[in-house]
Amino acid sequence: MATKYWTGGAGDSNFATGGNWSDGTSPTTGDVCVLASDPDGNPDFINAGDQTSLGALKLIVGPNWSGTIGIQSTPLTLNLTELEYSGQGSIAHFETSGGTTSKVTVTDTGSGNLPFRLRGSNTISEFVMTDAKSTVLIDGAGGRNVSTINMIGARRTAVLDLTQGGSGEVACTTAKVNGGVLKMNHTCTNVEVSGAGQLEVTGTATIGQLDIYNGVVDWKTEGTTSSINSLNVYSGQFMADQCTATVSTIAATQLYETATINEQNGVEGIVWSGGITVNGGTLQLDPGRIVTVS
């Protein structure tokens, strides 16, 4: 195993060319590859394509990196054991392949329209996002499972978007949103929103348990199959005022002091299965709406 640094010395911008790395050899299984800075002072373009034949690698893109990595149609495809990203480039297109990627960490990004895009169909054990200057996209076009998502203290401009996979799906087991905005439209078993976190749910998403300790959840689902099996609003806001679903089933709902549930959408499509237990807080419904409150 070796740690090697990008120099761009070969001049072809090819990730697999040995002359572009500090030790003069191509990356291979177990190596840690570091894009630390643009060595010539100019943003480099990393030629992309399928580089999985290099073996399982760890990639670190440092905060002084301002180059471009791949393009949307030809991302840099690697068998990644781990990815750490804090680059400031306007475009970074990755695809993960092969075995499970244990961890992807996004500490920061550039301020481009889409400075970080990750596609592929292998499993990511943990995706951690502490900040970004704009939207980070996990593309689920090939079907993707992310075991755990942690958004920790990110600024409001930091958006993690799981909704752009077309007919595919990004499913996760656990999501914790303590800052920034998480957009989802598919399946998640357990979601926790706290701090200044915001969750935006569209499509026909299914959530097992949703706990809101602070922050905002925008329930904007559509169609007839979206659901929450257990909803606990301890503080913060559950906003369903833009929900257009003709049927959206929410079961086992608990509302607590300082919390708000707003369902004033004019559609009245939410089925509050088992009613709403109001332990305090504010419940806002359409005029004439009938629900069971205890």
Side-chain angles (χ1 to χ4, degrees):
M1 182 186 79
T3 298
K4 51 186 65 196
Y5 295 83
W6 179 265
T7 66
D12 63 1
S13 296
N14 193 321
F15 190 89
T17 300
N20 285 322
W21 296 97
S22 55
D23 62 358
T25 64
S26 300
T28 190
T29 297
D31 284 350
V32 178
C33 299
V34 183
L35 307 182
S37 63
D38 304 315
D40 56 4
N42 298 311
D44 283 331
F45 170 67
I46 300 295
N47 281 334
D50 190 344
Q51 307 288 357
T52 54
S53 62
L54 299 174
L57 310 169
K58 177 179 178 177
L59 178 62
I60 299 174
V61 182
N64 293 320
W65 178 264
S66 59
T68 295
I69 301 173
I71 57 178
Q72 184 170 339
S73 61
T74 313
L76 176 59
T77 303
L78 296 168
N79 181 351
L80 285 177
T81 56
E82 191 171 343
L83 171 61
E84 297 178 8
Y85 189 90
S86 56
Q88 298 303 299
S90 59
I91 298 173
H93 289 282
F94 296 100
E95 180 168 342
T96 54
S97 185
T100 297
T101 300
S102 63
K103 191 173 185 179
V104 176
T105 304
V106 177
T107 305
D108 198 5
T109 68
S111 55
N113 182 49
L114 192 64
F116 182 100
R117 180 176 185 144
L118 179 64
R119 74 182 195 189
S121 57
N122 75 328
T123 295
I124 297 174
S125 297
E126 184 178 15
F127 191 100
V128 178
M129 185 166 161
T130 60
D131 221 337
K133 294 184 178 70
S134 58
T135 298
V136 167
L137 176 64
I138 301 180
D139 190 328
R144 162 82 78 183
N145 181 265
V146 183
S147 299
T148 300
I149 292 174
N150 278 312
M151 296 184 67
I152 306 167
R155 71 189 93 186
R156 295 287 292 182
T157 57
V159 178
L160 178 57
D161 191 346
L162 312 181
T163 70
Q164 302 301 312
S167 60
E169 174 177 340
V170 179
C172 61
T173 303
T174 301
K176 295 183 178 182
V177 188
N178 180 253
V181 181
L182 174 62
K183 295 184 177 183
M184 61 172 291
N185 62 351
H186 284 292
T187 303
C188 193
T189 306
N190 296 291
V191 183
E192 178 184 298
V193 181
S194 61
Q198 181 176 343
L199 174 68
E200 181 180 301
V201 187
T202 57
T204 55
T206 298
I207 297 177
Q209 180 166 323
L210 174 57
D211 294 322
I212 307 171
Y213 295 98
N214 217 327
V216 178
V217 173
D218 289 315
W219 188 254
K220 300 179 179 179
T221 58
E222 308 147 315
T224 61
T225 59
S226 62
S227 65
I228 303 172
N229 293 333
S230 176
L231 172 62
N232 298 298
V233 191
Y234 298 103
S235 188
Q237 303 174 72
F238 180 82
M239 305 296 291
D241 54 323
Q242 297 182 61
C243 176
T244 61
T246 53
V247 178
S248 182
T249 304
I250 302 179
T253 300
Q254 299 275 342
L255 176 64
Y256 292 87
E257 190 173 353
T258 76
T260 298
I261 292 177
N262 183 344
E263 193 224 24
Q264 294 176 315
N265 52 48
V267 179
E268 300 185 7
I270 295 180
V271 177
W272 298 96
S273 177
I276 303 172
T277 300
V278 179
N279 306 286
T282 303
L283 177 61
Q284 298 173 321
L285 303 172
D286 282 316
R289 177 79 154 117
I290 298 175
V291 296
T292 300
V293 176
S294 63

